[in-house]
């Protein structure tokens, strides 16, 4: 009997190992926790298309928006840990760890990092009538006059970027939340508010057409898409807000699958076409290892918690 049990157990592990080595054997779902058409969705579809060639299976994008990205993330947390349901996450999920009081999952415990896909700068833009043409002039203005900055809502990256800036300069900036970035940009163009600190990919047409003035990007270094626009850190040392996209899987996804998927994503992000497409949108292709992405998330969660605390943002 003991011999039979040993044979059965051995057979089970052999089959399990074989299944992992042969993965994937069917299409993979890539869950985007936001609506179609946004920057995360566009990036997900680009990556999914290229992954098909690397993995030999279709990668199907499935949008599950809601609760600031939490609905789609929870769906993946609850999915089987077999590598067939993945999450295209954003830095929003790191923010949500401290922003939402009753969050039902833990980004660091319930999901396993696969690879950071992209780095995305925010850009501080002002209405053309604002009497500031660079960050030094803007900071001086924000210290002496109340300026209204719009955002996509409480706790959004626009809100937190602006709140951190206001805190560091001891300024008189007042937050105006909107139901999305688009209406905030409409009011910025009309002069109803003076500035927005928005993801670059969402506002490039306004910048390229000269309808808005870009004064600084929030990443540590300048972006090649706007080489003449300084990093805010150049004028205000220590200021940095870097957004990201990255792919995660349910916790306990087998290491062979995680490593195979991570290697495939890295190859995709080295594709010149992918790099150019992202660069044209102001983003930077990354393609990190699972270990590197895990380290990034470990830094991001407490960093965003500090910024949320500074902003005073709360979401029930």
């Amino acid at each position: 009997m003991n011999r039979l049990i040993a044979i059965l157990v051995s057979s089970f592990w052999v089959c399990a190992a074989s299944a992992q080595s042969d993965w994937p054997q069917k299409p993979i779902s890539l869950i985007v926790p936001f609506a179609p058409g946004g920057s995360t969705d566009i990036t997900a579809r680009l990556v999914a298309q290229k992954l098909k060639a690397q993995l030999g299976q279709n990668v199907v994008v499935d949008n599950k928006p809601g609760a600031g990205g939490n609905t789609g993330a929870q769906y993946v947390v609850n999915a089987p840990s077999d590598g067939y349901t993945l999450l295209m996450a954003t830095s929003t999920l790191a923010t949500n760890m401290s922003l939402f009081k009753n969050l039902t999952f833990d980004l660091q415990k319930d999901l396993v990092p696969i690879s950071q896909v992209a780095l995305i700068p925010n850009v501080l833009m002002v209405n053309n009538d604002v009497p500031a043409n660079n960050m030094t002039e803007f900071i001086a203005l924000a210290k002496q006059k109340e300026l209204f900055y719009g955002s996509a809502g409480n706790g959004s990256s626009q809100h937190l970027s602006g709140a951190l800036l206001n805190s560091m300069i001891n300024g008189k900036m007042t937050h105006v939340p909107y139901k999305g970035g688009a209406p905030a940009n409409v009011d910025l163009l009309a002069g109803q508010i003076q500035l927005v600190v928005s993801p670059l990919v969402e506002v490039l047409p306004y910048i390229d057409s000269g309808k808005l003035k870009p004064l600084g990007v929030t990443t540590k270094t300048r972006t090649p898409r706007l080489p003449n626009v300084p990093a805010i850190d150049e004028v205000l040392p220590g200021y940095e807000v870097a957004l990201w996209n990255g792919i995660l899987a349910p916790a306990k996804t087998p290491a062979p699958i995680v490593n195979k998927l991570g290697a495939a994503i890295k190859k995709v992000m080295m594709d010149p076409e992918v790099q150019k497409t992202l660069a044209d949108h102001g983003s930077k292709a990354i393609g990190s290892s699972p270990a590197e992405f895990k380290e990034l998330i470990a830094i991001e969660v407490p960093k965003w918690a500090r910024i949320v605390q500074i902003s005073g943002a709360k979401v029930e």
Side-chain angles (χ1 to χ4, degrees):
M1 178 63 72
N2 290 339
R3 179 186 170 96
L4 177 59
I5 292 174
I7 292 173
L8 291 175
V9 170
S10 176
S11 298
F12 170 80
W13 286 113
V14 168
C15 291
S18 176
Q20 293 172 21
S21 64
D22 292 342
W23 178 91
Q25 298 177 337
K26 62 181 181 180
I28 299 163
S29 293
L30 179 58
I31 305 301
V32 174
F34 301 102
S39 60
T40 302
D41 179 70
I42 292 171
T43 300
R45 293 180 188 278
L46 174 65
V47 173
Q49 178 187 9
K50 295 292 185 176
L51 271 177
K52 178 182 178 180
Q54 294 294 330
L55 298 174
Q57 290 287 348
N58 287 328
V59 179
V60 181
V61 173
D62 187 2
N63 299 87
K64 294 188 180 297
N70 293 336
T71 299
Q74 185 68 66
Y75 179 88
V76 176
V77 166
N78 294 340
S81 301
D82 56 9
Y84 291 104
T85 306
L86 308 174
L87 175 68
M88 175 60 85
T90 74
S91 46
T92 297
L93 292 181
T95 305
N96 290 354
M97 292 292 293
S98 54
L99 186 63
F100 284 78
K101 183 178 180 180
N102 298 312
L103 200 61
T104 55
F105 65 89
D106 188 311
L107 176 61
Q108 294 174 280
K109 295 179 181 179
D110 298 323
L111 293 162
V112 58
I114 305 294
S115 179
Q116 181 187 355
V117 168
L119 179 71
I120 308 159
N122 275 353
V123 57
L124 190 161
M125 306 171 302
V126 297
N127 178 276
N128 284 337
D129 292 333
V130 172
N133 295 306
N134 55 56
M135 281 304 304
T136 300
E137 293 177 357
F138 174 82
I139 290 172
L141 181 66
K143 286 183 175 182
Q144 59 182 279
K145 179 182 178 181
E146 184 178 27
L147 299 177
F148 294 93
Y149 69 99
S151 81
N154 285 317
S156 63
S157 70
Q158 295 100 317
H159 176 199
L160 301 181
S161 297
L164 178 62
L165 176 63
N166 192 51
S167 172
M168 291 182 67
I169 66 174
N170 194 25
K172 297 182 178 180
M173 294 164 52
T174 298
H175 177 226
V176 182
Y178 289 81
K179 293 182 178 180
N185 292 332
V186 169
D187 270 8
L188 178 60
L189 288 164
Q192 300 299 315
I193 55 177
Q194 284 73 54
L195 70 139
V196 171
V197 190
S198 180
L200 180 56
V201 63
E202 298 179 9
V203 293
L204 277 171
Y206 301 126
I207 295 173
D208 289 341
S209 64
K211 293 180 179 179
L212 293 172
K213 291 189 290 187
L215 301 186
V217 295
T218 64
T219 42
K220 197 72 173 178
T221 58
R222 300 188 184 199
T223 170
R225 184 61 175 79
L226 297 175
N228 296 324
V229 178
I232 295 175
D233 177 76
E234 295 176 34
V235 178
L236 189 64
Y239 182 92
E240 181 184 11
V241 176
L243 310 182
W244 48 263
N245 288 139
I247 294 178
L248 299 97
K252 299 182 180 179
T253 298
I257 293 177
V258 169
N259 293 331
K260 184 174 183 179
L261 184 55
I265 294 171
K266 186 170 186 176
K267 289 182 180 179
V268 167
M269 304 320 296
M270 293 175 64
D271 185 317
E273 181 183 350
V274 172
Q275 293 185 341
K276 182 180 185 305
T277 299
L278 290 177
D280 287 345
H281 291 158
S283 302
K284 180 181 179 181
I286 301 295
S288 63
S289 69
E292 289 168 337
F293 192 23
K294 181 178 181 179
E295 182 178 343
L296 173 69
I297 291 174
I299 295 171
E300 286 281 284
V301 170
K303 183 193 82 172
W304 283 106
R306 180 175 65 87
I307 300 175
V308 167
Q309 184 178 26
I310 290 171
S311 72
K314 293 181 180 179
V315 179
E316 297 297 333

